[in-house]
Amino acid sequence: MFHSLRHALWLPLAFVSPAVGQAQPTLTLGQALDRARAQAYAVRIAEGQAAAQTAQTLSTYRGVLPSVRVESGWMRTTDPIGAFGTTLRQRVATQADFDPTRLNDPSPIGNWSAALIVEQPLFNADAHLGRRSAARAASAAASSADWARAETELAVVQAYYGAVLAVETVATLEAAVKAADGHVRQAGEMVEAGFATKSDALLAQVKAGEVEAQLLAARGEARLARHQLALLLGAPEDTAYSLPARLPAAAGVNALLARPLEASPAERADVQAAQLQYAAVQADALRAKSQLVPRVNAFARLDWNSALRPYAGEESWTAGVMLTWTPFSGASELADIRGAAGRSRAAQAGVEAAEARARLAVESAEIRRGVALAQMAIAQRAAQQSAEAHRIVARKYDGGLATVVELLDAAAVETRSGLTYSAAVYEAIVAEAERRHASGMDLAALAALQPEPMRTER
């Protein structure tokens, strides 16, 4: 029965273990963070949105920079005014063209018209303020992309060390299964020698089966954690790497958690994005009001008119300055002004909300840091105590003073305490990552954590 169960447990492992003879590179946290910055889905989406917002700033230059336009067309007309004007534009008018009969009933005339037009805005207040608003909106989008990158990095830390925790859990349970199988064999030998009852052997098998069931679930979780990490890194099919066998040493984690940080929520990218967005909306509110200010623009053009081909005939030029003032355009400017004022109030509330969330995140991270430190210390003591208790029960078992069930129970407690300790170390790492994230700091310091050395078997 145990042979078949161990065979079934081996099958899922074949999908996550490297092929024999193929050495897989170990993925470090630093490498995982670099991959996420370059190809994570959330990062690429945010960067694309920021690029699109930045591109919008170019459209605002239309009211600032000169524009050049080329026109060309052909027409044929018998309209009296059009026909006489075309004759004049082609500069082929003669005395006979002033004959009233020809003026009233002209012959059809064709014309190729062409022009080169240059327009230069001189003073468009709404264009300048719109450009300022668009530039600040682009900066806000860039800060939002930075925050998306920071949030992705936090998720990578959680997923990376979650996957390492899953690997360590599998290794711990594999060792527990190996020890339980040894105890089951020993119990069987004692039953045959008459030193134990059959019920002891059966109960030992039940206990060993429980550990094997936990191992089966742990292997599935390890496989899932690996694929979740790959998905987060933006390469769901790329799992050709190995992970550290153990989490970082508790001493290094303790040192990071004990280090005070200067929390500066105002430097968080999400807070900066909200502030820049508010500045953009304020500039847009001024732009809306500036629509009531006159606009001044200059223009110049060269024209060609010919009956033969485009850009033929003698050229003529026109230049001038135009002042345009629209004090009322059907209340559309009033709607724009009021809409901008509403967006400004909303953006101001957004800044206040972002700052409040940042302060709460810092406070929450500090609380979780203290809890994580305490829980890790408690779990470490419990792991040491359960290991010592297991050794005591093992010596009693060797002396015939304890049953195999008591021995397996002590082993289970040690395994459970070890897993709880590993989980506490993981939670402490995540607490440190969240503390740095809440303060707007880089998470690169976590990449310096070194895995805990492998424990030697007793």
Side-chain angles (χ1 to χ4, degrees), residues 18 26 28 45 57 101 107 135 150 153 155 191 196 201 268 280 283 340 350 413 432 443:
T26 299
T28 65
I45 291 172
T57 61
T101 301
S107 300
E153 290 176 4
V191 170
R268 285 172 39 139
V413 171
E432 175 61 18
L443 304 183

Side-chain angles (χ1 to χ4, degrees), residues 187-201:
E189 294 171 356
M190 293 180 68
V191 170
E192 292 178 359
F195 295 107
T197 63
K198 186 177 181 180
S199 62
D200 290 333

Side-chain angles (χ1 to χ4, degrees), residues 378-401:
I378 293 171
Q380 188 174 25
R381 287 197 305 270
Q384 294 169 348
Q385 293 166 350
S386 63
E388 179 62 24
H390 185 196
R391 284 192 290 270
I392 294 172
V393 174
R395 287 197 296 268
K396 291 172 65 178
Y397 177 74
D398 293 338
L401 300 177

Side-chain angles (χ1 to χ4, degrees), residues 319-342:
V321 177
M322 181 70 68
L323 183 146
T324 305
W325 183 36
T326 308
F328 185 76
S329 58
S332 62
E333 70 282 356
L334 298 179
D336 197 4
I337 292 172
R338 293 181 182 180

Side-chain angles (χ1 to χ4, degrees), residues 131-155:
R131 185 163 60 92
R132 182 189 303 177
S133 176
R136 291 175 179 175
S139 298
S143 293
S144 295
D146 291 340
W147 184 245
R149 191 178 301 109
E151 295 238 286
T152 300
E153 290 176 4
L154 175 61

Side-chain angles (χ1 to χ4, degrees), residues 307-324:
L308 302 177
R309 62 185 186 277
Y311 300 97
E314 297 185 26
E315 67 181 37
S316 60
W317 61 267
T318 307
V321 177
M322 181 70 68
L323 183 146
T324 305

Side-chain angles (χ1 to χ4, degrees), residues 153-414:
E153 290 176 4
L154 175 61
V156 167
V157 171
Q158 295 171 330
Y160 177 84
Y161 282 118
V164 175
L165 174 62
V167 171
E168 183 174 336
T169 299
V170 169
T172 301
L173 290 174
E174 285 177 342
V177 167
K178 182 179 179 181
D181 286 347
H183 293 323
V184 168
R185 287 193 301 271
Q186 189 175 7
E189 294 171 356
M190 293 180 68
V191 170
E192 292 178 359
F195 295 107
T197 63
K198 186 177 181 180
S199 62
D200 290 333
L202 293 174
L203 288 173
Q205 292 177 357
V206 171
K207 295 289 185 180
E210 291 175 353
V211 179
E212 291 201 29
Q214 293 175 13
L215 176 59
L216 177 62
R219 282 175 174 165
E221 290 295 331
R223 181 184 178 188
L224 180 60
R226 175 183 291 272
H227 284 287
Q228 287 175 336
L229 176 60
L231 177 63
L232 186 59
L233 297 181
E237 304 302 325
D238 182 12
T239 56
Y241 54 80
S242 63
L243 294 168
R246 299 187 62 81
L247 289 167
V253 179
N254 263 315
L256 274 180
L257 286 168
R259 188 178 305 168
L261 298 179
E262 294 184 4
S264 52
E267 296 182 3
R268 285 172 39 139
D270 62 330
V271 175
Q272 293 178 349
Q275 292 171 343
L276 288 167
Q277 186 61 37
Y278 178 48
V281 171
Q282 285 184 308
D284 187 62
L286 292 176
R287 176 207 58 78
K289 294 179 181 178
S290 69
Q291 293 180 96
L292 302 176
V293 177
R295 299 179 178 87
V296 181
N297 299 288
F299 68 93
R301 62 182 293 152
L302 293 175
D303 290 277
W304 293 267
N305 292 274
S306 171
L308 302 177
R309 62 185 186 277
Y311 300 97
E314 297 185 26
E315 67 181 37
S316 60
W317 61 267
T318 307
V321 177
M322 181 70 68
L323 183 146
T324 305
W325 183 36
T326 308
F328 185 76
S329 58
S332 62
E333 70 282 356
L334 298 179
D336 197 4
I337 292 172
R338 293 181 182 180
R343 290 190 294 272
S344 179
R345 291 194 298 271
Q348 183 178 13
V351 172
E352 295 173 3
E355 292 173 346
R357 284 195 302 268
R359 291 192 296 268
L360 179 60
V362 170
E363 182 180 359
S364 175
E366 286 296 332
I367 292 174
R368 183 169 183 180
R369 162 182 170 268
V371 172
L373 277 170
Q375 288 180 338
M376 188 165 59
I378 293 171
Q380 188 174 25
R381 287 197 305 270
Q384 294 169 348
Q385 293 166 350
S386 63
E388 179 62 24
H390 185 196
R391 284 192 290 270
I392 294 172
V393 174
R395 287 197 296 268
K396 291 172 65 178
Y397 177 74
D398 293 338
L401 300 177
T403 66
V404 68
V405 174
E406 291 174 326
L407 179 61
L408 287 171
D409 284 340
V413 171
E414 181 183 12

